Amino acid sequence: MADDRPPGSVLEAVLERITYANEETGYTIARVATERSGSELLTVVGPLLGAQVGESLRLTGRWGSHPRYGRQFEVWSYTTVLPATIQGIQRYLGSGLIKGIGPKMAERIVDHFGTDTLEVIEKSPERLVEVPGLGPKRTKMIGAAWEEQKIIKEVMIFLQGVGVSTSIAVRIFKQYGERSIDVVRGEPYRLADEVWGIGFKTADTIAQAVGIPHDSPQRVKAGLRYTLSQAADDGHCYLPAPNLVADAVKILDVPTELVTTCLDESVRDEEVVREDVPATEGTVPAVYLVPFHRAELSLASGLLSLLHAKADRLAAFADVDWTRAEDWLHGKTGAELAAEQRQAVRLALTHKVAVLTGGPGCGKSFTVRSIVLLARAKRARVILAAPTGRAAKRLAELTGHEATTVHRLLQLRPGGEATFDRDNPLDADLVVVDEASMLDLLLANKLVKAVAPGAHLLFVGDVDQLPSVGAGEVLKDLLAADDIPRVRLTQIFRQAQESGVVVNAHRVNTGHHPILQGMSDFFLFPADEPEDIAELTVDVVARRIPRKFRLDPRRDIQVLAPMHRGAAGAGALNLALQEALTPAREGMPERRYGGRVFRVGDKVTQLRNNYDKGAAGVFNGTVGIVTALQPDEHKLTVLTDEDESVDYAFDELDELAHAYAVSIHRSQGSEYPCVVVPLATSAWMMLQRNLLYTAITRAKKLVVIVGSRRALAQAIRTKGAGRRHTGLTHRLTR
């Protein structure tokens, strides 16, 4: 489409400060300096995402006036230019753009070479050794970083020409390097499959810009995979073929016949799998992405093989005197098992696959501790695992036995393959997995493959919580399969009955309003408008709770929001809480990436599995605190909740987000001393019973709900989404 705007003005300036940036839209408010403006900074607004402080920019746009903020330059587009003055060169080099050069080194280099500095780095980088303090090793690093910047700039110019934002362009370059332009021109839909953070819609926009036809089979097949991928993000392992075709037609805006033909071709070419899966009435033509189909078949087969294995690595419990065993346990723990707990203990030690479920206060943890004590008394090798670092820590504290995350247990390697699998099983007689409601299909399959034949596998979790973030609902499917032994604990113990958190969790789970009067650990702070809810939430977290309960606002308090967007969503709350808890300070380094600013002390979370980071990978949902930020080295350091220090290069910061507030989905498997839940009617579609129940059960000591009574009533009243499309239960039924 032609741009019908009149020719714009051109403004050449140095980017001094970014005051606001929206990562999704690219809209940025910044302050710039020009040769004419002197010490006075000018305001520019528009799509500047990706521009770095210190860069010289050529801005195209127009001058305008804002009723509140006065004169400002509205940016339509920009390009970066190399500075020509000594001051500009020094600022450019010292801005952190070139790895190995910080502000002090930039000053030394420019003092030595003057206005020839950039030409020296470009054409004779070996001359940098002339600068005091620069040795051959660092000189080589600076030269390599400069060359990489040049290649990136070339790729960026091309990608910006086809409508790609700078932050997306960086990801493309990291994936393909110098091949980026060829891939984007020839196979743009590969981006959706191979570049993290790029979906079909972005790839489709690029494809149209490089001339791929709207009705191209390449586009339609990519759209089908995207539709299935979106369904997987919503938790489904497959989509019924009619649903898939209908959804793809809407997304692609092409005829149904073309989508059906391309689906048939995709099945024939084994890009997707179509299989009839039993349903309530008859069968449904289920279409899977290949990895999910393989994983579902493999998981079912693995579980059945374990369940019916002839060998038994806990054979000693086949003829044990249970009365004596339980008396011995009583002597060890000082507490007696309830009838349901006794049944669960016997089940776990005499059946090779079993499930233990139940709500808070029903004694799941004590039951697991009892199982572990008895198994170890028979010299069994016991492994305890949980999907998150926090859950593993809690499991270790409750049982007195070492516990680890499932990812670390399996020793996942780059690419996601596990060190332990069928050919190299875990050396364990009993494997216990806590918080099993979090296990998605792919991770559960990797885990089951690693359990040795004859070993016992116990899944422990609360089936009424939200299902896993990833595809599948493994715990629910296991409980629905008649052949899998299970126990559900229902008795709430007396001590737990005194906890408002436990009592109200069960009330919410059964569709009743929480008790709000006379509770010392469960409160509602009423507010109706999202903006008021957000403001009150920040006040409660930053001031009121720390003052009354002496809890640390970063370490002990977690805000759990039903959704990310909106004034009371996790996104806006993170900005407000960062401002309250970790504000900008003079002289303290910070790093902007996209719409986020990172500072020392920030609470952050990992957004994807990265098997190359840390000692054994860093995984989606890992939380930590930023402990160091080194502009010269282009990196910041995070101390994770597993007590591991992990470095992030500045171009990897798209993997991190702030975690002062997280979505309730992302909190699964974690437990916090205090949970604060903002509830606004603007999150109406997300307000469901299992969502609120999950949020409440994340708290050990204190729950504070901030928000609307109407929103609270809606969450309690709404049972939640229906079952996900999975085939595991029927595959477990012989």
Side-chain angles (χ1 to χ4, degrees):
M1 191 177 94
D3 191 338
D4 55 3
R5 288 182 298 202
S9 304
V10 174
L11 179 69
E12 300 216 353
V14 176
L15 184 58
E16 295 285 341
R17 186 166 71 242
I18 294 175
T19 55
Y20 170 80
N22 184 312
E23 194 169 8
E24 291 177 10
T25 64
Y27 181 79
T28 304
I29 302 172
R31 303 278 278 165
V32 301
T34 66
E35 283 187 24
R36 291 184 180 180
S37 67
S39 60
E40 185 187 349
L41 298 183
L42 307 175
T43 299
V44 298
V45 298
L48 279 172
L49 207 57
Q52 300 287 347
V53 170
E55 282 191 309
S56 294
L57 306 177
R58 183 171 290 122
L59 308 165
T60 303
R62 68 178 179 193
W63 286 101
S65 183
H66 189 279
R68 184 172 172 188
Y69 300 111
R71 192 166 184 255
Q72 57 188 30
F73 190 79
E74 181 192 333
V75 178
W76 299 341
S77 64
Y78 79 92
T79 56
T80 57
V81 292
L82 292 177
T85 66
I86 284 181
Q87 185 184 7
I89 293 168
Q90 186 174 314
R91 182 73 200 276
Y92 176 74
L93 284 182
S95 67
L97 281 167
I98 308 300
K99 195 171 183 179
I101 303 181
K104 288 181 181 173
M105 185 52 70
E107 189 177 348
R108 278 195 226 159
I109 294 171
V110 175
D111 279 350
H112 189 80
F113 294 113
T115 53
D116 295 333
T117 296
L118 299 182
E119 190 176 352
V120 168
I121 297 174
E122 167 84 35
K123 295 178 180 172
S124 314
E126 68 281 356
R127 285 190 59 198
L128 289 170
V129 292
E130 298 172 19
V131 179
L134 268 183
K137 188 178 175 184
R138 203 159 172 199
T139 295
K140 195 173 178 183
M141 183 175 79
I142 291 168
W146 180 266
E147 280 302 310
E148 187 180 46
Q149 280 292 325
K150 266 174 55 189
I151 296 167
I152 289 174
K153 291 287 181 196
E154 287 171 20
V155 173
M156 293 294 183
I157 290 165
F158 168 75
L159 292 175
Q160 284 175 355
V162 294
V164 179
S165 74
T166 307
S167 56
I168 294 294
V170 168
R171 290 180 191 170
I172 294 172
F173 183 81
K174 278 166 73 175
Q175 179 72 25
Y176 303 113
E178 294 181 45
R179 295 186 299 118
S180 299
I181 295 173
D182 291 338
V183 171
V184 169
R185 274 202 184 112
E187 303 172 272
Y189 291 104
R190 276 179 64 185
L191 304 178
D193 296 327
E194 298 174 356
V195 181
W196 179 73
I198 294 185
F200 172 79
K201 290 181 180 175
T202 302
D204 199 33
T205 302
I206 296 168
Q208 288 180 48
V210 298
I212 304 289
H214 186 73
D215 59 355
S216 159
Q218 180 189 354
R219 176 175 184 264
V220 176
K221 289 175 185 178
L224 283 163
R225 292 195 304 275
Y226 166 71
T227 307
L228 287 171
S229 176
Q230 286 291 98
D233 288 346
D234 291 335
H236 301 294
C237 298
Y238 69 81
L239 277 182
N243 301 35
L244 170 60
V245 170
D247 290 349
V249 165
K250 279 185 204 166
I251 291 165
L252 296 164
D253 190 25
V254 295
T256 302
E257 298 73 28
L258 177 59
V259 173
T260 304
T261 301
C262 287
L263 174 57
D264 291 340
E265 288 177 11
S266 296
V267 172
R268 191 180 63 240
D269 296 340
E270 298 182 356
E271 292 175 3
V272 298
V273 177
R274 185 164 49 199
E275 179 191 351
D276 287 340
V277 171
T280 313
E281 296 177 10
T283 60
V284 59
V287 183
Y288 288 81
L289 288 170
V290 173
F292 294 108
H293 185 256
R294 284 181 184 157
E296 201 172 82
L297 286 173
S298 172
L299 176 56
S301 167
L303 285 166
L304 290 172
S305 295
L306 287 176
L307 189 61
H308 301 297
K310 287 187 171 66
D312 189 348
R313 295 177 71 150
L314 293 180
F317 288 98
D319 53 3
V320 79
D321 183 335
W322 285 106
T323 304
R324 280 187 61 195
E326 284 154 9
D327 287 345
W328 177 84
L329 259 181
H330 185 238
K332 280 281 186 185
T333 63
E336 201 164 321
L337 290 165
E340 292 171 336
Q341 293 175 310
R342 284 199 300 275
Q343 184 190 352
V345 169
R346 295 182 187 190
L347 197 73
L349 296 171
T350 58
H351 289 74
K352 298 184 196 78
V353 178
V355 180
L356 171 61
T357 189
C362 292
K364 288 196 303 297
S365 299
F366 182 66
T367 305
V368 171
R369 184 181 168 210
S370 302
I371 291 165
V372 170
L373 280 170
L374 280 171
R376 293 180 74 189
K378 294 288 187 184
R379 302 190 183 284
R381 286 181 292 273
V382 178
I383 285 179
L384 303 183
T388 67
R390 280 176 178 263
K393 267 186 183 176
R394 189 178 75 246
L395 185 58
E397 289 163 6
L398 293 169
T399 60
H401 187 350
E402 185 184 350
T404 183
T405 64
V406 177
H407 293 96
R408 289 186 185 277
L409 171 66
L410 299 176
Q411 293 181 20
L412 297 183
R413 300 188 298 267
E417 291 305 308
T419 301
F420 293 100
D421 55 18
R422 282 198 184 98
D423 298 327
N424 181 34
L426 296 162
D427 183 17
D429 305 313
L430 171 65
V431 178
V432 180
V433 187
D434 198 11
E435 294 287 356
S437 62
M438 283 188 71
L439 282 179
D440 62 37
L441 174 67
L442 300 181
L443 186 58
N445 178 45
K446 286 185 171 76
L447 172 69
V448 168
K449 280 201 282 192
V451 179
H456 287 223
L457 174 60
L458 175 65
F459 295 98
V460 182
D462 184 347
V463 75
D464 293 322
Q465 288 183 22
L466 290 168
S468 56
V469 175
E473 43 189 358
V474 173
L475 187 62
K476 196 170 279 187
D477 284 345
L478 291 175
L479 288 167
D482 293 339
D483 291 350
I484 304 293
R486 86 290 307 275
V487 171
R488 180 163 192 151
L489 304 180
T490 57
Q491 179 186 338
I492 305 175
F493 289 92
R494 192 175 64 192
Q495 188 178 355
Q497 288 174 359
E498 297 167 8
S499 160
V501 175
V502 171
V503 167
N504 283 332
H506 284 278
R507 287 183 65 83
V508 166
N509 198 33
T510 53
H512 296 91
H513 275 258
I515 299 166
L516 299 170
Q517 300 300 320
M519 291 289 184
S520 61
D521 60 354
F522 200 103
F523 301 91
L524 170 67
F525 283 72
D528 288 322
E529 295 302 319
E531 292 78 7
D532 297 336
I533 293 168
E535 190 177 331
L536 186 51
T537 297
V538 173
D539 188 38
V540 162
V541 171
R543 288 171 280 277
R544 297 195 195 192
I545 293 174
R547 192 165 57 230
K548 182 173 175 62
F549 294 96
R550 300 191 181 281
L551 294 175
D552 183 280
R554 272 177 296 196
R555 189 181 64 246
D556 301 328
I557 305 170
Q558 184 61 57
V559 177
L560 301 181
M563 59 191 294
H564 184 78
R565 298 185 179 210
L573 284 169
N574 268 316
L575 290 172
L577 286 163
Q578 183 192 35
E579 202 53 44
L581 299 173
T582 321
R585 284 182 292 169
E586 191 70 37
M588 291 297 288
E590 58 180 43
R591 180 68 181 182
R592 179 176 291 277
Y593 192 98
R596 306 183 184 111
V597 180
F598 294 96
R599 301 178 183 131
V600 172
D602 271 339
K603 186 176 183 177
V604 293
T605 183
Q606 175 79 10
L607 294 177
R608 69 171 185 127
N609 291 344
N610 186 331
Y611 303 101
D612 298 317
K613 283 224 153 295
V618 180
F619 302 100
N620 186 3
T622 299
V623 173
I625 301 290
V626 177
T627 54
L629 207 157
Q630 298 167 274
D632 287 16
E633 299 301 317
H634 275 220
K635 70 177 183 181
L636 61 75
T637 304
V638 174
L639 180 66
T640 72
D641 54 9
E642 295 177 54
D643 297 322
E644 181 182 14
S645 278
V646 179
D647 289 336
Y648 289 81
F650 283 167
D651 64 0
E652 296 176 317
L653 295 183
D654 55 349
E655 294 188 19
L656 290 177
H658 292 102
Y660 300 100
V662 299
S663 70
I664 296 170
H665 276 90
R666 288 189 72 82
S667 74
Q668 289 171 263
S670 296
E671 197 176 59
Y672 316 93
C674 171
V675 160
V676 177
V677 188
L679 287 183
T681 51
S682 56
W684 196 258
M685 296 303 291
M686 297 295 294
L687 297 175
Q688 296 168 358
R689 191 182 300 169
N690 60 351
L691 194 82
L692 180 58
Y693 173 72
T694 300
I696 293 169
T697 55
R698 299 306 85 211
K700 283 195 282 192
K701 298 178 182 174
L702 177 66
V703 172
V704 179
I705 295 173
V706 180
S708 148
R709 292 181 189 275
R710 185 164 165 247
L712 176 61
Q714 166 70 2
I716 294 164
R717 185 169 59 240
T718 308
K719 272 195 167 183
R723 289 295 303 268
R724 294 175 167 187
H725 292 301
T726 72
L728 181 60
T729 297
H730 97 83
R731 298 187 196 279
L732 289 168
T733 306
R734 282 186 162 177

